[in-house]
Amino acid sequence: MSHIPERKEKDCLNCGTIVEGKYCHNCGQENVVPKETFWHMATHFFYDITHFDSNFFHSVHHLIFKPGFLSKEYMLGRRASYLHPVKMYVFSSAIFFLLFFSFFKENGGITFDAAKPLDSKQRTEYVKKLEGRLKKDTGNVKLQAVLALAKDTSKPFAEKNYYREDGLSISFTNGRYKNFEEYDSIEKTLPPDKRDGWIMRRLEKKQLELNEKYGENPNEAAKKLVEGILHRLPYMLFVSLPLFAWILNLVYVRRKQFYFADHGVFTIHLYVFSFIILLLVFSLGKLEEATGWNFMSILIAILFFVLFFYLYKAMRKFYGQKRGKTFLKFILVSVLSLIMMTILFLIFMFFSAVTL
């Protein structure tokens, strides 16, 4: 509540309704004078921030220690004391991905260095592979030259010196063409019903473009692909939200008291908890890298177990079924969600590849 003087007039400045009391019963606006001092603005801003924070931490406390409780409260209509699920998801996902990309920044987490020399074991294994290929293709001069470099231990041998049987390193189709003109001319010789459709033609063209660009440096393509996948993870998770809710709706199809939106709220709270667990996992992983403490791997494994146990407990609390039935549905939801996330990941990986 603000300390701005109340207006003597009783017509709401926002909607025109006659106000009985300090707040408009129609739109909820406070009936105060429209002019306010800078101090009033500052205190109102501070109140909004601290009110949000108190609601957030109050809600997170229940989210962590009472699986399924927040979702149940929301479904029952008790919402004023807790942060709205959508606001919680937006805020927590923003913090999560901000920290996530700092963990996997370009100079930190995932790197591909084609100029890095192979160690003795890697070099020996690669020499054996080259010798095996040379037995099948004894007249291959390029292969003989690369094998000589690999055997010369007086000089470093890096991945950029690898022999490739053809210039192709990225493949969406079974086609092997030098350029799009060759592909197009071969297509024209085929009967109309045997030619590739629009999608296959686009894929073939994109494959040729990528291999022309990255054919001699597949590690650069791999690096770009990983970066593309990482930066699309927020979109993938956002798309997976309604799909996970749909899985819950399918599993609990006979529970008519639960609407799709209820499953959606449950999913949002589960995702927020997952963000918290994953941030702990990444933090422990970085701590293990810095200190060499191997027991961190055990803690990481425990955290993943906690995540699955949390899902089971939340399902039991929210849907209110017996342990045995909840456990069977927990297994079914876990399997279906794993399949769903795998398919989504492959789709986003493919999209990342064709947009390199």
Side-chain angles (χ1 to χ4, degrees):
M1 181 181 295
S2 68
H3 298 288
I4 303 174
E6 186 176 349
R7 292 175 66 237
K8 294 180 180 179
E9 298 82 2
K10 295 301 179 181
D11 59 312
C12 176
L13 292 175
N14 184 56
C15 66
T17 303
I18 300 302
V19 180
E20 296 180 4
K22 194 173 178 67
Y23 295 91
C24 176
H25 64 275
N26 184 49
C27 67
Q29 178 167 293
E30 190 176 7
N31 189 33
V32 294
V33 295
K35 302 295 183 181
E36 57 180 323
T37 65
F38 176 78
W39 174 251
H40 285 142
M41 291 182 65
T43 53
H44 193 271
F45 172 77
F46 179 76
Y47 172 79
D48 284 344
I49 293 298
T50 53
H51 179 68
F52 172 81
D53 286 347
S54 63
N55 272 357
F56 178 79
F57 291 114
H58 177 66
S59 301
V60 168
H61 178 269
H62 287 297
L63 179 78
I64 294 174
F65 297 104
K66 296 181 180 180
F69 173 80
L70 275 185
S71 305
K72 193 74 172 180
E73 290 286 281
Y74 189 87
M75 181 183 172
L76 294 174
R78 295 193 281 265
R79 305 172 183 179
S81 300
Y82 312 108
L83 190 64
H84 193 278
V86 174
K87 288 184 179 180
M88 179 181 284
Y89 178 82
V90 171
F91 180 76
S92 60
S93 63
I95 297 297
F96 171 77
F97 283 108
L98 180 66
L99 295 175
F100 174 82
F101 288 121
S102 69
F103 282 125
F104 292 96
K105 60 184 179 180
E106 184 177 355
N107 296 326
I110 301 175
T111 57
F112 297 91
D113 187 2
K116 183 179 179 180
L118 303 182
D119 58 34
S120 57
K121 183 179 179 181
Q122 292 172 328
R123 194 164 183 165
T124 302
E125 291 176 354
Y126 188 65
V127 166
K128 290 180 180 178
K129 290 181 181 179
L130 289 178
E131 289 175 339
R133 292 181 184 178
L134 193 57
K135 288 179 181 178
K136 300 177 182 179
D137 189 9
T138 55
N140 193 319
V141 179
K142 184 178 179 181
L143 180 55
Q144 293 173 358
V146 176
L147 180 60
L149 285 174
K151 286 184 173 181
D152 186 3
T153 56
S154 63
K155 299 177 182 178
F157 185 82
E159 190 174 352
K160 65 181 181 180
N161 303 123
Y162 277 15
Y163 169 76
R164 300 178 184 88
E165 294 187 42
D166 54 36
L168 297 172
S169 58
I170 301 171
S171 179
F172 307 132
T173 70
N174 294 323
R176 290 293 184 269
Y177 307 99
K178 293 180 180 178
N179 49 55
F180 188 74
E181 288 72 21
E182 179 186 346
Y183 165 73
D184 196 42
S185 63
I186 292 175
E187 280 287 295
K188 289 179 180 178
T189 63
L190 299 174
D193 60 329
K194 299 292 184 182
R195 296 175 187 173
D196 291 339
W198 183 84
I199 294 178
M200 288 301 297
R201 285 179 64 84
R202 297 295 299 176
L203 288 177
E204 198 68 59
K205 184 177 181 180
K206 189 63 180 180
Q207 174 178 292
L208 290 165
E209 289 176 355
L210 291 177
N211 284 298
E212 182 180 353
K213 185 176 181 180
Y214 298 107
E216 297 301 320
N217 191 3
N219 290 284
E220 181 65 21
K223 182 179 179 180
K224 295 285 186 182
L225 178 62
V226 171
E227 289 176 353
I229 293 172
L230 289 178
H231 283 88
R232 286 182 174 87
L233 275 179
Y235 305 104
M236 190 180 81
L237 286 179
F238 185 75
V239 171
S240 72
L241 266 169
L243 295 177
F244 191 90
W246 177 78
I247 290 173
L248 290 171
N249 187 59
L250 183 66
V251 172
Y252 289 97
V253 67
R254 298 178 64 183
R255 306 298 301 278
K256 302 300 182 182
Q257 68 269 38
F258 293 98
Y259 294 93
F260 186 82
D262 299 324
H263 301 302
V265 169
F266 179 88
T267 302
I268 288 175
H269 288 145
L270 176 65
Y271 273 42
V272 173
F273 181 79
S274 301
F275 291 152
I276 297 171
I277 291 295
L278 289 175
L279 284 178
L280 290 174
V281 167
F282 298 146
S283 300
L284 290 176
K286 287 294 182 181
L287 187 60
E288 183 178 14
E289 288 180 13
T291 60
W293 295 341
N294 295 327
F295 69 88
M296 291 296 175
S297 300
I298 300 175
L299 295 179
I300 290 173
I302 292 173
L303 285 175
F304 279 113
F305 173 79
V306 167
L307 181 58
F308 282 99
F309 182 72
Y310 182 92
L311 173 58
Y312 164 76
K313 293 290 290 183
M315 289 173 63
R316 176 156 164 70
K317 172 68 177 179
F318 184 66
Y319 295 104
Q321 292 187 321
K322 294 181 179 180
R323 290 185 178 88
K325 186 176 286 188
T326 300
F327 182 75
L328 290 176
K329 291 188 175 182
F330 159 75
I331 296 297
L332 183 58
V333 168
S334 299
V335 172
L336 291 177
S337 61
L338 179 61
I339 294 172
M340 178 267 292
M341 292 301 291
T342 302
I343 294 172
L344 268 184
F345 179 78
L346 291 175
I347 291 172
F348 274 80
M349 183 174 68
F350 178 77
F351 184 75
S352 298
V354 298
T355 53
L356 280 176

